[in-house]
Amino acid sequence: FDDAMKLLVNGQVVHKSTAVHTDEIVKVRLNAGWNTVVARLANGTTDFAFRFGVQKGSGLKFAAEKP
């Protein structure tokens, strides 16, 4: 494999991938209030990108630290 990703939400692994892929969409449910999202990424020999987003109109806000 060339790339690897592990996605954790509130300390729980919600997705794990070790395949070569172009686009991968992972949908997760968040709890009310503060949620911690961690993406652990590994890159082999080719280009690699990661993007995180939320559905429009969800009312979610992003912060690097807990308010």
Side-chain angles (χ1 to χ4, degrees), residues 22-42:
T22 53
D23 288 327
E24 193 168 354
I25 296 172
V26 179
K27 295 181 180 183
V28 298
R29 250 186 225 285
L30 300 175
N31 298 328
W34 182 260
N35 291 271
T36 301
V37 178
V38 175
R40 294 183 178 166
L41 311 168

Side-chain angles (χ1 to χ4, degrees), residues 1-64:
F1 69 92
D2 183 50
D3 301 326
M5 176 180 74
K6 188 184 288 186
L7 184 65
L8 297 94
V9 176
N10 298 319
Q12 300 295 313
V13 176
V14 296
H15 183 75
K16 193 174 182 181
S17 174
T18 56
V20 176
H21 50 272
T22 53
D23 288 327
E24 193 168 354
I25 296 172
V26 179
K27 295 181 180 183
V28 298
R29 250 186 225 285
L30 300 175
N31 298 328
W34 182 260
N35 291 271
T36 301
V37 178
V38 175
R40 294 183 178 166
L41 311 168
N43 183 42
T45 58
T46 60
D47 294 340
F48 187 83
F50 176 77
R51 180 174 50 200
F52 178 83
V54 296
Q55 188 173 1
K56 286 184 180 181
S58 67
L60 294 175
K61 297 178 182 178
F62 296 95

